[in-house]
Amino acid sequence: SLPAKLINGGIAGLIGVTCVFPIDLAKTRLQNQQNGQRMYSSLSDCLIKTIRSEGYFGMYRGAAVNLTLVTPEKAIKLAANDFFRHHLSKDGKKLTLLREMLAGCGAGTCQVIVTTPMEMLKIQLQDAGRLAAQKKLMAAQAPHSSSPAATAAKPAVERLPTATQITRELLRSKGIAGLYKGLGATLLRDVPFSIVYFPLFANLNKLGQKDPNVKAPFYVSFLSGCVAGSTAAVAVNPCDVIKTRLQSLQRGVNEDTYSGILDCTKKIWQREGPMAFFKGAYCRALVIAPLFGIAQVVYFVGIAEFLLDMLPKHRA
């Protein structure tokens, strides 16, 4: 049933995000680093420096936004894919690869309604710590002097923005369109991701089914979700780098600004080289693999069906 699908998708998203969010934070910070002042050299270096400067919970900056919006986002994504697969199938026959890809395309298109503002807010919160650390480092490296210029170079302790503050400012200055900055880049990432992910998962999962009418074991769904998720994540990582750069409202020292997708692509290629499009690719694979593995296990095991079935018994 649709309520069960929505509940399953929501539970899957909450569990997955809680497990992998620190790696996602590192991915955002690594992708936003340009040829200016580089703060982190790797995933582990980023996490260690984040804990030292911002504490353990610094790794979860922006998690509240994700945990709030990931339920409708994952629910829409998984339920939409099932909806399109159902309507594209002919008399219950097996879907062709093209129809599976079309179903994934529809699911990816539907989810950006929630994904774009969620990613927009999350990126600002995740990257705020990097920018603050960069300012402190620049101040520490400045020549020690009692002159007004040197004193001004030492900023006071900066309070990092909250999601509510960012949302209010965007709505005040740009309206609802402010929350949908980078919509085109989000579509450019999520639609190809779903086109790759859903058909690949479906076919990998079928390999573990002894009977077409019986669900595959949970570990098969988990491994299928991990493999399909990491493959799709790496495939669309260049689009994710572009999306992250476009949605970042604040820039560090000597970092470029961009006017659109083409301008961003051109500047990254010319100033940082083609490998810059794969910044954070391994982080993204580490995030997406367990996230979608967990999501598919929860979704296919059907926790919601169990809970919904227990309600009448409990009342009785």
Side-chain angles (χ1 to χ4, degrees):
S1 65
L2 182 59
K5 288 177 182 178
L6 296 178
I7 294 171
N8 279 333
I11 294 172
L14 291 172
I15 295 172
V17 166
T18 303
C19 293
V20 302
F21 193 84
I23 304 174
D24 186 64
L25 178 137
K27 186 251 339 168
T28 298
R29 293 188 177 185
L30 289 170
Q31 285 183 340
N32 263 335
Q33 288 190 140
Q34 299 182 28
N35 290 328
Q37 182 70 53
R38 291 178 177 270
M39 298 299 303
Y40 316 108
S41 59
S42 64
L43 166 64
S44 58
D45 182 55
C46 180
L47 293 178
I48 290 170
K49 287 180 177 176
T50 299
I51 293 172
R52 285 176 179 171
S53 62
E54 302 170 51
Y56 175 79
F57 290 105
M59 295 190 299
Y60 282 88
R61 275 195 58 78
V65 174
N66 252 37
L67 291 172
T68 302
L69 297 178
V70 75
T71 298
E73 189 243 4
K74 285 289 177 289
I76 290 171
K77 188 185 189 83
L78 295 172
N81 181 66
D82 272 4
F83 173 83
F84 287 115
R85 287 178 70 90
H86 173 72
H87 286 277
L88 287 169
S89 63
K90 293 182 177 180
D91 301 324
K93 294 181 180 179
K94 181 182 176 181
L95 285 173
T96 62
L97 179 60
L98 177 61
R99 288 176 179 267
E100 287 184 331
M101 293 172 71
L102 286 173
C105 177
T109 304
C110 290
Q111 80 171 81
V112 297
I113 298 170
V114 177
T115 303
T116 304
M118 179 181 75
E119 290 276 319
M120 178 70 182
L121 295 172
K122 183 194 73 172
I123 286 171
Q124 314 316 315
L125 296 168
Q126 286 181 330
D127 205 38
R130 179 185 73 90
L131 297 173
Q134 189 183 78
K135 288 180 181 179
K136 288 180 182 178
L137 182 61
M138 295 294 289
Q141 291 175 347
H144 294 286
S145 172
S146 58
S147 65
T151 304
K154 298 177 181 179
V157 177
E158 186 176 352
R159 295 188 65 180
L160 300 180
T162 65
T164 303
Q165 290 170 342
I166 296 170
T167 303
R168 284 176 179 171
E169 178 58 28
L170 285 171
L171 290 175
R172 184 190 65 78
S173 60
K174 299 181 181 179
I176 193 67
L179 292 173
Y180 280 87
K181 180 179 171 64
L183 175 62
T186 306
L187 280 168
L188 193 64
R189 181 197 68 173
D190 288 351
V191 172
F193 178 92
S194 295
I195 289 173
V196 174
Y197 172 78
F198 283 110
L200 183 56
F201 169 79
N203 286 282
L204 289 174
N205 198 53
K206 284 176 186 175
L207 297 176
Q209 290 180 275
K210 296 180 180 179
D211 185 334
N213 298 318
V214 179
K215 289 181 179 179
F218 78 92
Y219 61 86
V220 172
S221 293
F222 176 76
L223 291 175
S224 298
C226 288
V227 172
S230 58
T231 302
V234 173
V236 303
N237 197 75
C239 301
D240 188 56
V241 172
I242 293 169
K243 182 199 73 68
T244 300
R245 296 280 181 93
L246 289 175
Q247 288 187 319
S248 297
L249 299 176
Q250 302 295 324
R251 304 290 178 189
V253 179
N254 299 324
E255 291 182 347
D256 291 324
T257 56
Y258 312 103
S259 60
I261 294 173
L262 293 178
D263 180 56
C264 182
T265 304
K266 181 180 177 181
K267 286 181 178 176
I268 292 174
W269 182 277
Q270 291 178 341
R271 301 177 187 181
E272 301 175 60
M275 290 308 297
F277 289 105
F278 288 93
K279 283 184 178 181
Y282 66 97
C283 294
R284 184 160 163 76
L286 288 174
V287 169
I288 296 297
L291 182 62
F292 277 83
I294 293 168
Q296 293 295 359
V297 168
V298 173
Y299 196 63
F300 279 87
V301 166
I303 290 177
E305 287 87 339
F306 173 76
L307 294 174
L308 291 172
D309 286 344
M310 288 295 291
L311 288 175
K313 296 175 184 178
H314 178 71
R315 287 170 184 166

